Amino acid sequence: MAASLRLGCQGIVRSLVAAAAVRGQVDGLRLLHTAGRRWGVPSAEVFMPALSPTMEEGNIVKWLKKEGEMVNAGDALCDIETDKAVVTMESSDDGILAKIMVQEGSRNVRLGSLIALLVDEGQDWTQVEIPSSPPPITVPAAAASVTTTPQKASAQPGKLGLRISPAARHILNTHGVDPKAVLPSGPRGIITKEDALRVVAQKTETGEKVLQTAATTLPEPVTLSASPQPVPPPPGSQRPSVPPISIPGKPLTPGTFSEIPTSNIRKVIAKRLTESKSTIPHAYATADCDLGAVLKLRKDLAKDNIKVSVNDFIIKATAVTLKQMPDVNVTWNGEGPSQLQSIDISIAVATDRGLITPIIKEASSKGIQEIADTAKVLAQKARNGKLLPEEYQGGSFSISNLGMFGVTGFSAVINPPQSCILAVGRSRTELAVAADEDGNPQVCQKQLLNVTLSSDGRLVNDELASMFLDRFRTNLENPVHCALV
């Protein structure tokens, strides 16, 4: 019996060995087959984000991470130039930057375009699976019918109705997309930013296909052979309607020109200025303010090593005046005025990329030194292109000061939807007759500052604008009282 048991065990061992050999052969074949197919490492896709409310495309200024470098959530990934400023994009996932799809220096990258690929830590990032032809954004097949028949089960969970994230709501409102036509993929039926980007990309691609189809069906132009050919004018009698473009490396010829590329910021500035002057009825009022008390107080503060500028006093006087006259602290919402509760002053800062207006928030509650420190920090960040969106979006009143450029006075363009902007020129010295302590008239010098208020006639009428300007002058000429309010 022991012999038979031994033989049975030997048979089982032989069966296990044979099965292991077969399994090894199969695994080897599977490995060879997988190596022949060369499957890539799965990746997480990084898309061009919407970094400002009006952003539709952006420029990749610089990549702050290299391929093969470890990336943690919250790390700075790259610098992107939006239509407002240069914003640092942070990574939302952990992993290794496997592939940069859009190199730095690339311009006009559409919103939602694939710009990079991430793989999990420990994977071979050199074998990342790269899409054969990456579209601006990938749309799942399940979402192909979103624009026609929205899914009621997921889009309207229970009685709560649509659940939309703030970023998705802004994207849908900007591109005019109905939220009911979006298939949500977030938890508890929330429409995420990615869902909104997919629908926007699908809408854009559909419009382009329609234009291409219309272009292919246009009839060919009909040429009439019987019509006489126009006789060209003699040389030198008429200038060409469009001058030729100059060719790099060749000498310029009369009538040539060079095209200058336009940045996204310049495009937005041009659009907003045109919109402002064509849709807002501008009204103007000018006044001279005596800077004698301001210059004296500024000199006294300098003795205590407190450095403030005249523009800081102007910001404080403006904020105090808005607090005293809340009817001017309004914006136009498209249908009527909106009363603002906070007093946020936008200051115009000239940069190499164009004009931008960072905001000093709650300026009426800040002291003159705090306003000076805040203005310096915001101006430096604006010149470096490092302003955050919340630091330049909004505002209730704008101030533009060109006095340091030698401009005596000017009229500024209103920054919609705000109702007013104050244009500040340089100060000038004038002789005036004033009474001394005994009441005797005497000749003295006055340092006068020219300011011009541009106001929206729909919100601030001429009487209200004149009262505001008079109250502002009083506050500026009494800086000690103004600073204590």
Side-chain angles (χ1 to χ4, degrees):
M1 182 175 180
S4 60
L5 181 61
R6 187 182 305 108
L7 291 175
C9 293
Q10 291 177 354
I12 293 174
V13 170
R14 293 192 189 95
S15 301
L16 292 175
V17 171
V22 172
R23 188 182 303 109
Q25 293 177 358
V26 172
D27 291 343
L29 291 175
R30 185 181 294 112
L31 291 174
L32 290 175
H33 183 62
T34 304
R37 291 165 59 183
R38 297 184 64 85
W39 286 103
V41 177
S43 61
E45 298 175 334
V46 181
F47 298 102
M48 172 66 77
L51 299 176
S52 72
T54 57
M55 178 181 174
E56 296 182 356
E57 56 186 19
N59 304 332
I60 304 294
V61 178
K62 184 180 181 181
W63 281 97
L64 305 178
K65 296 288 185 179
K66 298 180 181 179
E67 293 183 355
E69 192 171 352
M70 184 64 191
V71 178
N72 296 320
D75 287 353
L77 198 59
C78 63
D79 288 338
I80 298 176
E81 181 186 3
T82 69
D83 54 348
K84 297 287 187 180
V86 178
V87 182
T88 300
M89 174 186 174
E90 297 180 353
S91 176
S92 58
D93 298 318
D94 298 333
I96 299 176
L97 181 59
K99 183 66 177 178
I100 295 177
M101 304 299 296
V102 180
Q103 300 299 323
E104 61 182 42
S106 301
R107 303 179 60 84
N108 302 329
V109 182
R110 288 176 53 193
L111 189 69
S113 299
L114 180 63
I115 61 176
L117 299 174
L118 295 176
V119 298
D120 294 335
E121 184 179 3
Q123 293 184 333
D124 187 3
W125 61 272
T126 59
Q127 301 296 327
V128 63
E129 183 179 356
I130 301 176
S132 57
S133 57
I137 187 168
T138 56
V139 182
S145 60
V146 169
T147 57
T148 56
T149 57
Q151 302 291 332
K152 296 182 179 180
S154 58
Q156 298 179 356
K159 299 181 180 180
L160 297 179
L162 292 176
R163 301 171 61 88
I164 309 175
S165 66
R169 185 184 303 277
H170 170 73
I171 295 174
L172 296 177
N173 292 339
T174 302
H175 295 273
V177 178
D178 187 2
K180 297 180 181 179
V182 182
L183 179 64
S185 63
R188 294 176 295 175
I190 296 178
I191 299 177
T192 63
K193 180 177 70 174
E194 288 74 15
D195 300 333
L197 291 175
R198 292 190 187 100
V199 176
V200 170
Q202 182 185 10
K203 178 181 177 182
T204 304
E205 293 176 358
T206 304
E208 292 177 352
K209 291 180 181 179
V210 172
L211 292 176
Q212 293 175 359
T213 305
T216 55
T217 58
L218 289 176
E220 297 182 356
V222 179
T223 57
L224 300 177
S225 58
S227 60
Q229 298 295 331
V231 180
S237 62
Q238 185 179 4
R239 293 185 60 187
S241 58
V242 179
I245 303 177
S246 61
I247 300 176
K250 292 187 178 182
L252 296 177
T253 57
T256 60
F257 68 94
S258 300
E259 290 185 344
I260 301 175
T262 305
S263 64
N264 293 335
I265 297 179
R266 292 284 184 183
K267 293 179 181 178
V268 173
I269 291 175
K271 180 180 179 181
R272 288 181 63 84
L273 288 177
T274 304
E275 174 188 357
S276 177
K277 291 296 290 185
S278 59
T279 61
I280 297 178
H282 283 59
Y284 307 98
T286 304
D288 287 333
C289 303
D290 188 358
L291 289 180
V294 170
L295 296 178
K296 183 179 182 301
L297 179 58
R298 182 170 177 247
K299 187 177 180 180
D300 295 339
L301 293 175
K303 296 178 182 179
D304 297 332
N305 201 23
I306 300 177
K307 298 180 180 180
V308 294
S309 66
V310 175
N311 197 60
D312 299 327
F313 285 98
I314 295 173
I315 295 172
K316 179 62 177 179
T318 302
V320 172
T321 308
L322 288 174
K323 185 177 181 179
Q324 297 170 348
M325 301 181 63
D327 291 341
V328 184
N329 193 37
V330 294
T331 58
W332 183 262
N333 60 13
E335 298 181 356
S338 296
Q339 185 76 47
L340 302 179
Q341 302 301 323
S342 61
I343 298 175
D344 304 328
I345 305 298
S346 304
I347 54 175
V349 177
T351 66
D352 296 338
R353 293 173 296 273
L355 193 68
I356 192 168
T357 53
I359 301 171
I360 300 179
K361 297 185 178 181
E362 299 292 347
S364 60
S365 60
K366 287 183 170 64
I368 190 67
Q369 186 176 5
E370 187 178 0
I371 289 177
D373 296 338
T374 305
K376 291 176 183 177
V377 173
L378 291 176
Q380 188 61 40
K381 292 180 68 174
R383 296 186 182 97
N384 296 336
K386 298 299 182 180
L387 284 175
L388 300 176
E390 59 268 19
E391 293 177 329
Y392 59 81
Q393 294 175 7
S396 57
F397 193 101
S398 294
I399 297 176
S400 180
N401 192 339
L402 297 182
M404 67 286 296
F405 299 107
V407 177
T408 304
F410 68 102
S411 300
V413 181
I414 297 174
N415 183 19
Q418 299 177 8
S419 61
C420 296
I421 182 171
L422 187 68
V424 182
R426 69 178 181 89
S427 61
R428 67 187 188 277
T429 303
E430 287 189 1
L431 295 177
V433 178
D436 57 9
E437 297 179 356
D438 298 331
N440 300 321
Q442 64 177 2
V443 179
C444 62
Q445 289 185 347
K446 283 189 176 182
Q447 200 74 14
L448 300 180
L449 179 71
N450 179 271
V451 295
T452 301
L453 179 69
S454 302
S455 56
D456 187 344
R458 300 170 300 180
L459 299 171
V460 180
N461 56 31
D462 293 341
E463 181 182 3
L464 186 59
S466 301
M467 293 173 58
F468 177 87
L469 205 56
D470 184 66
R471 186 73 61 86
F472 165 80
R473 176 172 52 195
T474 302
N475 290 328
L476 185 62
E477 292 178 352
N478 295 274
V480 177
H481 172 74
C482 180
L484 297 178
V485 175

